[in-house]
DNA sequence: CGTCGGGTTGAACCTAGTCAAAGATAGTGG
DNA sequence: CCACTATCTTTGACTAGGTTCAACCCGACG
């Protein structure tokens, strides 16, 4: 049960995850909180006091538009950090719920701030953690804005593959902790499209899917699909970007 | 020429823009840099040393995927901050170019860090600035992931309207500093679709468009379009989100 | 054993993308 | 100052990818 992998506090010393940076200096003091499947860690609008680093299980984070549309903004597994969006306004902008039974480390934000003030290193790490989050969302925007459905799906699977590998788990066989609807929301697709895509990729031999269990079979093909080729609105292979950020197709 | 509005340093005392927070404590020391239309402020991969706050003109920020697809991640006008994405890795993750002749304040990042270490307030502001950026990208993800083309366009126009208003300019008549292609890239659409949408909204009386000059006429309609109704995958008006973040349609 | 949430699959529809051509605009150099 | 060019914009016709609606299946759980 890969997703359920539980981290001991000491694991974070070697862990490369986004939350790992900010945790070490706190782990002595920090408490934990258990969540059962479906339990909410925080909801949008709620006042922000603590950051959380996932110890085990899986969470999803989502924003809700005024009219009720839901967009899943990310999935968090062991080592990932949750709650950075609350720093800006003092209110959580997004909700977070447990997809599976989960456990999180609790980091009171005032302590993070104190720590960050006390050491230049701590400050740097905290900022870096936030900036990494920005980079992650930029990548996701790129996926949502420029990729076709199958490419998004391939990127999504490869992303999870890498993250599981980072936790010392199999990068080719894993269990997605979330239903099709959540994957769809995250990728800007409907659940039907997600289901169809997984079936198609299976038919084409790139992976094996059994409910939420995934077995990635053809990494080169998945990588090719996810990015190297056939990007929407980018037909020329030898195209470059000029100073204006325009695609400049080189002759020859 | 609304977009060309130039800020004096003192303006930032009252300015509510994202960059305004971080600037005041620095303005005495900080230098400026002028950019001509098309000039690049920084390119992806380049090492990160400085933040910039736009003084006048307009910039765009974009990421490029390995295969050459371009996604515009944001447009910056006076008061906006540029370069936060470099903090995470020490390398700029995105490129920034001037859409118009522009001037920016230059904030060496080491100084920001020193300032941030020196005062808890400074630290808080810097982090807040970064977190606000995160919130912005979450909103944009929501647009890219859940909205239809016309809704994205309406949101985009209303966003610019608010930002111009914040600068003390007209919220109803303004000039978009970027070509259709960039708007399209930002919204995850093609330039043809952008053009067609603007024509359609004009035909429907919501706005007047003349090249890059926009005159918003029917705010209620634009707001309605941008969010209140007809969101894709959200047909029920009285739907709410349950603990799992699922849409729960209330009976009645 | 029946119900319920989640998943799969099909068919019809529609939004937005693609390709193409013509018009507008602005910048450049004679 | 005007002609020329490059870039940007608009519009049309056609296509394709993804959504919608609907039926059905499967496994878990009471």
């Amino acid at each position: 049960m890969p997703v359920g992998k539980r981290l001991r506090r000491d694991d974070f010393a070697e862990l490369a995850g986004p939350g790992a940076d900010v945790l070490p200096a706190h782990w002595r003091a920090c408490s934990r909180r258990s969540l059962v499947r479906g339990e909410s860690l925080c909801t949008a609008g709620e006042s922000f006091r603590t950051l959380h680093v996932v110890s085990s299980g899986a969470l999803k984070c989502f924003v809700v538009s005024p009219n009720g549309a839901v967009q899943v903004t990310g999935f968090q597994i062991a080592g990932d950090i949750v709650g950075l969006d609350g720093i800006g306004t003092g209110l959580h902008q997004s909700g977070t719920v447990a997809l599976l039974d989960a456990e999180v480390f609790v980091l009171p934000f005032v302590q993070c701030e104190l720590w960050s003030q006390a050491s230049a290193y701590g400050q740097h790490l905290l900022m870096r953690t936030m900036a990494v989050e920005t980079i992650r969302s930029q990548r996701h925007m790129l996926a949502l804005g420029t990729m076709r459905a199958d490419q998004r799906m391939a990127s999504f699977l490869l992303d999870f593959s890498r993250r599981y590998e980072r936790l010392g788990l199999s990068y080719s066989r894993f269990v997605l902790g979330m239903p099709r609807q959540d994957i769809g929301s995250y990728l800007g697709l409907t659940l039907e499209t997600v289901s169809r895509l997984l079936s198609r990729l299976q038919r084409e031999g790139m992976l094996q899917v059994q409910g939420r269990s995934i077995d990635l079979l053809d990494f080169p093909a998945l990588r090719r699909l996810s990015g190297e080729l056939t990007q929407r609105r980018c037909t020329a292979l030898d195209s470059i970007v000029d100073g204006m950020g325009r695609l400049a197709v080189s002759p020859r």
Side-chain angles (χ1 to χ4, degrees), chain A:
Chain A
M1 178 47 144
V3 187
K5 158 130 181 177
R6 181 194 213 101
L7 294 176
R8 284 167 302 108
R9 283 162 175 154
D10 303 332
D11 288 341
F12 285 93
E14 302 113 54
L15 194 65
D21 282 344
V22 70
L23 192 64
H26 285 283
W27 73 263
R28 262 170 254 268
C30 90
S31 60
R32 318 175 105 199
R33 179 174 162 190
S34 291
L35 299 160
V36 300
R37 198 177 111 91
E39 191 177 346
S40 154
L41 180 60
C42 53
T43 59
E46 183 181 308
S47 90
F48 165 76
R49 293 223 163 57
T50 56
L51 292 174
H52 299 271
V53 172
V54 181
S55 160
S56 67
L59 310 180
K60 73 170 171 184
C61 194
F62 58 93
V63 287
V64 183
S65 76
N67 52 39
V70 178
Q71 171 74 27
V72 172
T73 56
F75 300 105
Q76 287 82 31
I77 58 175
D80 293 331
I81 193 163
V82 180
L84 292 169
D85 64 280
I87 297 176
T89 57
L91 300 175
H92 282 286
Q93 300 298 306
S94 47
T96 308
V97 303
L99 288 163
L100 309 166
D101 292 350
E103 196 166 46
V104 295
F105 295 98
V106 179
L107 284 66
F109 186 60
V110 283
Q111 269 183 253
C112 296
E113 279 184 307
L114 288 175
W115 173 54
S116 162
Q117 277 156 41
S119 90
Y121 179 66
Q123 183 200 26
H124 184 73
L125 285 186
L126 185 52
M127 286 205 302
R128 198 174 79 164
T129 302
M130 294 185 62
V132 165
E133 198 57 23
T134 304
I135 294 171
R136 210 185 56 82
S137 34
Q138 281 183 351
R139 246 201 299 276
H140 194 207
M141 279 197 270
L142 194 111
L144 291 173
T146 75
M147 288 182 171
R148 286 203 328 259
D150 50 0
Q151 304 178 300
R152 295 184 210 182
M153 179 57 77
S155 309
F156 170 75
L157 293 170
L158 290 174
D159 177 44
F160 261 83
S161 165
R162 271 185 290 269
R163 290 164 71 188
Y164 284 129
E165 186 180 20
R166 204 186 58 200
L167 293 177
L169 302 166
S170 168
Y171 58 85
S172 63
R173 309 191 58 157
F174 47 85
V175 176
L176 296 171
M178 71 296 286
R180 302 285 187 263
Q181 168 130 340
D182 286 345
I183 301 176
S185 171
Y186 179 69
L187 297 177
L189 304 169
T190 58
L191 64 111
E192 292 97 329
T193 302
V194 170
S195 177
R196 269 186 257 270
L197 281 171
L198 287 173
S199 300
R200 200 191 92 197
L201 296 183
Q202 172 167 259
R203 206 161 47 238
E204 291 171 357
M206 294 195 207
L207 52 80
Q208 189 100 28
V209 55
Q210 176 86 281
R212 300 186 183 179
S213 302
I214 300 284
D215 196 344
L216 301 184
L217 301 173
D218 189 348
F219 278 85
L222 285 168
R223 271 194 218 102
R224 218 175 312 125
L225 180 57
S226 81
E228 283 173 33
L229 205 51
T230 58
Q231 199 92 10
R232 187 163 50 136
R233 294 199 283 298
C234 173
T235 46
L237 275 177
D238 47 352
S239 62
I240 55 150
V241 176
D242 69 13
M244 284 294 278
R246 281 183 300 239
L247 277 178
V249 180
S250 62
R252 177 57 310 180

